[in-house]
Amino acid sequence: MNVNEVISICRTHLLPVLPEFYSLEGYEFQLIPAHEGGRNVVFSCNKTGSDADTDAKILRISFLADRNREDFLAELEYIRYLYDHGGSVSNVVSSNMGNLLEEFTHNYHTYYICMFEKARGKLLVENNYQYREGVPITEYYYNCGKVLGKMHQLSKKYTPVHSRYSFFDKYNAQYIDRLIPKSFTLLKEKMVDLLNSLKKLDKSRESFGMVHFDYSDGNYMIDYNTGDITVFDFDNSCFCWYMYDLANIWTHGVGWTQFEHDADKRKKFMEEYFATVLAGYKSETNIEIPMLDKLPLFINVTVMENIIDTFEVMRNNNEELEVDEELTYLIKCLEDDIPYKGFFHEIYSCEEPFEYVE
């Protein structure tokens, strides 16, 4: 079953009976185009005649068989916990029956339904990556770290009812061997070495817990009146090291200086950028220096995750194996032990960022 088939089923069979699940009288539904590899069908629900974000909702329909009811409940319960304890997240809307999750069955296939308050503001990309007029961009860097720090601090006290999977439940040697073709022998060896390095790290509540696992500017809105950030899309959330989310912030920060020719200037920018992120983060929670020193290791973990995700998309879409310039670049970084996603290495080209050009 592909996304277009699911969209047709949702329009024809689910939306007409949606009032059984949620009170959405006077709302119009607009399909939000899925990104490549998307695992859900998502609609924006806007009240007729109202432009207020406070009235808008987001409807998510999940259809792939890679997750079960327990997985979804664990995700939604975590979001509700964060919201109830002051986390800046898009809250889950309970159904008319008081449930966080509902199910819809059509032709013996089960679809999982949930509803969220729409986060206030805009994505950075919707504002052409321009920040608030008259306000230094460092405010954004600081707030980005602060919001994440608050979520991690709350995670340190979180005891789930339904538990999400842990990092090694998915990222392990057996899964890598099944997913990655045999021709990538060295890549698979490097990934296993990376996993073995992670297994040696501390997994106390201060360093390991529920994380977003995709914390980036595509998954939070910015209120351009206040600078407030509201996080959404916890679809990949799992138990992992908090340092992973911080490394992910680092990897997305390169976009601010990716066209700079001078590697030393890129490095200086990234040091200042990440220091500002950490200042915001540490205003909400603590992180030990030994774990911060593992930043290069966790940047490699984000590279590994990107590679695995690309192979998963090709598999789920039944696509032939295609190793393009971007995937080749990531693979070479791991295979050749090039740190920091190659951003300060001669492999990097500011004309073709993060693409391998021989």
Side-chain angles (χ1 to χ4, degrees):
M1 183 179 299
N2 61 42
V3 172
N4 288 333
E5 291 173 331
V6 175
I7 291 171
S8 176
I9 290 169
C10 289
R11 290 190 184 281
T12 306
H13 299 282
L14 173 58
L15 294 185
V17 300
L18 197 63
E20 296 178 15
F21 300 104
Y22 300 96
S23 299
L24 293 169
E25 293 79 8
Y27 277 80
E28 296 178 347
F29 301 89
Q30 182 176 357
L31 180 69
I32 298 177
H35 61 81
E36 186 177 7
R39 303 156 74 187
N40 308 292
V41 171
V42 182
F43 289 90
S44 177
C45 312
N46 300 290
K47 199 165 189 178
T48 307
S50 173
D51 295 324
D53 284 343
T54 52
D55 291 326
K57 308 286 187 284
I58 298 293
L59 173 68
R60 189 184 78 183
I61 301 103
S62 304
F63 61 93
L64 293 180
D66 59 342
R67 293 158 296 169
N68 58 36
R69 182 178 178 82
E70 295 289 303
D71 294 325
F72 290 114
L73 281 174
E75 172 199 353
L76 300 175
E77 287 171 1
Y78 176 59
I79 295 170
R80 176 60 63 84
Y81 165 82
L82 291 176
Y83 182 85
D84 286 346
H85 291 81
S88 188
V89 301
S90 179
N91 193 21
V92 189
V93 177
S94 296
S95 72
N96 294 337
M97 286 69 77
N99 300 322
L100 299 180
L101 181 71
E102 293 292 349
E103 297 178 23
F104 172 77
T105 302
H106 176 72
N107 284 345
Y108 306 102
H109 187 91
T110 298
Y111 301 83
Y112 291 98
I113 308 165
C114 52
M115 184 83 68
F116 303 92
E117 300 286 355
K118 185 177 181 182
R120 183 186 299 275
K122 292 182 178 180
L123 296 170
L124 267 174
V125 67
E126 293 174 335
N127 208 50
N128 299 312
Y129 284 95
Q130 300 297 310
Y131 193 55
R132 303 202 296 144
E133 187 174 352
V135 178
I137 189 68
T138 50
E139 178 192 81
Y140 164 65
Y141 303 156
Y142 184 91
N143 287 347
C144 184
K146 184 178 179 67
V147 168
L148 182 64
K150 177 70 171 181
M151 290 197 301
H152 285 178
Q153 179 60 30
L154 292 173
S155 288
K156 293 174 183 180
K157 302 174 182 178
Y158 180 56
T159 301
V161 176
H162 297 85
S163 188
R164 287 284 280 186
Y165 62 88
S166 189
F167 177 85
F168 290 116
D169 292 335
K170 175 176 180 180
Y171 299 96
N172 54 65
Q174 293 75 22
Y175 182 66
I176 289 170
D177 191 52
R178 290 197 306 270
L179 178 69
I180 308 295
K182 292 181 179 180
S183 55
F184 294 91
T185 304
L186 179 58
L187 173 63
K188 294 203 279 190
E189 289 177 359
K190 292 293 184 178
M191 286 183 170
V192 172
D193 288 344
L194 192 54
L195 293 175
N196 288 335
S197 296
L198 290 174
K199 289 176 181 177
K200 299 174 185 177
L201 299 182
D202 174 56
K203 290 178 66 178
S204 69
R205 291 180 74 96
E206 284 298 308
S207 61
F208 190 95
M210 277 291 286
V211 302
H212 187 281
F213 209 74
D214 194 14
Y215 188 74
S216 65
D217 60 58
N219 287 329
Y220 49 70
M221 295 287 193
I222 301 171
D223 186 330
Y224 276 79
N225 293 317
T226 63
D228 291 343
I229 289 172
T230 305
V231 187
F232 56 89
D233 195 355
F234 285 76
D235 203 26
N236 293 320
S237 59
C238 65
F239 282 89
C240 185
W241 288 271
Y242 300 122
M243 196 63 209
Y244 180 91
D245 278 349
L246 281 168
N248 213 39
I249 291 181
W250 190 97
T251 62
H252 283 84
V254 299
W256 297 104
T257 188
Q258 64 181 344
F259 299 117
E260 170 57 57
H261 284 74
D262 191 322
D264 289 335
K265 290 182 179 178
R266 293 199 301 270
K267 187 173 184 179
K268 184 176 186 296
F269 173 87
M270 290 305 296
E271 288 172 350
E272 294 174 351
Y273 158 79
F274 198 60
T276 306
V277 169
L278 281 178
Y281 185 84
K282 290 179 179 179
S283 72
E284 295 290 344
T285 194
N286 184 47
I287 185 164
E288 299 295 334
I289 295 297
M291 190 57 73
L292 278 176
D293 290 341
K294 299 296 183 184
L295 176 63
L297 172 68
F298 279 95
I299 290 173
N300 280 348
V301 179
T302 69
V303 172
M304 179 182 73
E305 190 279 331
N306 286 344
I307 294 171
I308 288 175
D309 181 69
T310 302
F311 278 105
E312 286 177 337
V313 170
M314 286 188 283
R315 178 198 62 190
N316 293 339
N317 293 340
N318 295 315
E319 298 173 355
E320 291 187 10
L321 177 64
E322 180 182 353
V323 183
D324 60 16
E325 291 83 358
E326 292 184 18
L327 182 55
T328 301
Y329 180 95
L330 295 176
I331 291 172
K332 191 162 183 63
C333 284
L334 280 194
E335 289 185 339
D336 292 0
D337 299 316
I338 302 172
Y340 294 100
K341 202 176 178 181
F343 198 47
F344 313 127
H345 190 272
E346 62 184 14
I347 189 178
Y348 182 78
S349 166
C350 59
E351 284 79 20
E352 301 288 344
F354 305 105
E355 294 187 8
Y356 184 61
V357 182
E358 294 190 71

